[in-house]
Amino acid sequence: MTKTIITIARQYGSGGRLIGKKLSEILEVPFYDKELIAIAAKQSGMSEEVFAKADERASSSLLYSLVMGSYTSVANNMPINDKLFLLQSDIIKEAAKKGPFVIVGRCADYILRDEPNCLNLFLQAPKEIRMRRAVEEYGVEAAKAADTVAKKDKQRGTYYNFYSNRKWGDMQNYDLILDTHIFGLQGSVDIILRALEEKEKTYGKTVPDDDL
């Protein structure tokens, strides 16, 4: 068990969901990714399918939302993208009050920026490796793999940059950045668990033991 919330930002195809799921199983804590869509839909009374189309997509205007194939909230004329972000933010904050969990994406590191018990990760891998995973594990056509990887990364970066006013992938936003190809999925899990152990030792301390 742990008392720490683990947030995972990830490049498409880097294995972020697999690693997050494994960590949640080992630590025996809840895991959140697309599960948040179902929770948000239930709380709002809106369609889960509609929310799924807007998931991790930024929206700065109603026009942009419509162009992206999204919808408008009848209740307050807010684009669904924005409505989903706010709902997920509330869900994430409420979950943080109840205990630790592992969460993938959703600007979680930013949403929980005032929560001290967080280990914020960014997972990456070479593009060719991520293209291979997209084809072999996600069912993407080989001819479309390069474009899919680029499009998904751009989508995630735009979403994060817009809603957090930070830069996706900027090392200053994370406690640990890992190349999952170098260390492998299991090796990455092991490194994260070690980092988690070390971080929990420092809670409440103002200066690390080595005074660096």
Side-chain angles (χ1 to χ4, degrees):
M1 287 294 292
T2 179
K3 58 186 177 182
T4 304
I5 296 167
I6 299 177
T7 74
I8 300 176
R10 76 291 184 215
Q11 290 182 324
Y12 178 77
S14 62
R17 181 178 173 84
L18 294 173
I19 289 172
K21 192 69 174 176
K22 185 65 175 179
L23 288 168
S24 75
E25 293 170 356
I26 293 173
L27 298 169
E28 299 181 346
V29 298
F31 174 76
Y32 298 115
D33 184 5
K34 295 187 182 300
E35 292 78 0
L36 287 180
I37 298 174
I39 298 173
K42 183 177 180 180
Q43 289 189 3
S44 67
M46 298 190 68
S47 166
E48 186 174 335
E49 181 180 0
V50 170
F51 273 153
K53 290 182 179 179
D55 187 39
E56 288 199 298
R57 289 175 171 82
S59 171
S60 59
S61 68
L62 173 58
L63 178 60
Y64 178 91
S65 183
L66 292 173
V67 169
M68 292 299 290
S70 155
Y71 300 82
T72 305
S73 166
V74 176
N76 56 15
N77 209 38
M78 179 186 293
I80 283 294
N81 310 65
D82 299 339
K83 188 177 183 67
L84 178 58
F85 176 78
L86 294 176
L87 282 168
Q88 288 189 142
S89 295
D90 289 341
I91 293 168
I92 291 169
K93 290 176 182 178
E94 284 301 311
K97 295 177 182 179
K98 300 175 182 177
F101 53 86
V102 177
I103 183 167
V104 174
R106 279 80 199 172
C107 295
D109 61 287
Y110 174 75
I111 292 168
L112 298 175
R113 60 193 179 281
D114 296 324
E115 170 59 55
N117 292 356
C118 279
L119 180 65
N120 300 315
L121 312 174
F122 187 87
L123 305 182
Q124 59 188 28
K127 186 174 181 179
E128 61 270 20
I129 300 301
R130 296 187 290 120
M131 288 169 55
R132 185 190 308 165
R133 177 171 284 120
V135 173
E136 296 177 354
E137 298 182 24
Y138 303 161
V140 175
E141 294 180 26
K144 298 181 179 180
D147 286 344
T148 298
V149 168
K151 181 179 178 180
K152 290 289 187 179
D153 281 352
K154 183 177 181 180
Q155 176 184 309
R156 290 175 180 178
T158 299
Y159 176 86
Y160 184 89
N161 298 347
F162 178 77
Y163 286 112
S164 73
N165 198 29
R166 294 179 177 182
K167 184 174 176 57
W168 187 68
D170 188 331
M171 67 177 67
Q172 297 184 65
N173 299 330
Y174 313 100
D175 300 307
L176 183 64
I177 297 177
L178 280 178
D179 187 318
T180 59
H181 175 59
I182 292 176
F183 300 106
L185 297 184
Q186 184 57 53
S188 296
V189 168
D190 294 339
I191 291 171
I192 293 167
L193 290 173
R194 178 59 190 277
L196 179 64
E197 179 183 352
E198 291 300 318
K199 181 160 187 174
E200 291 192 340
K201 290 179 182 178
T202 67
Y203 287 152
K205 296 182 180 180
T206 55
V207 180
D209 293 335
D210 55 10
D211 198 29
L212 291 177

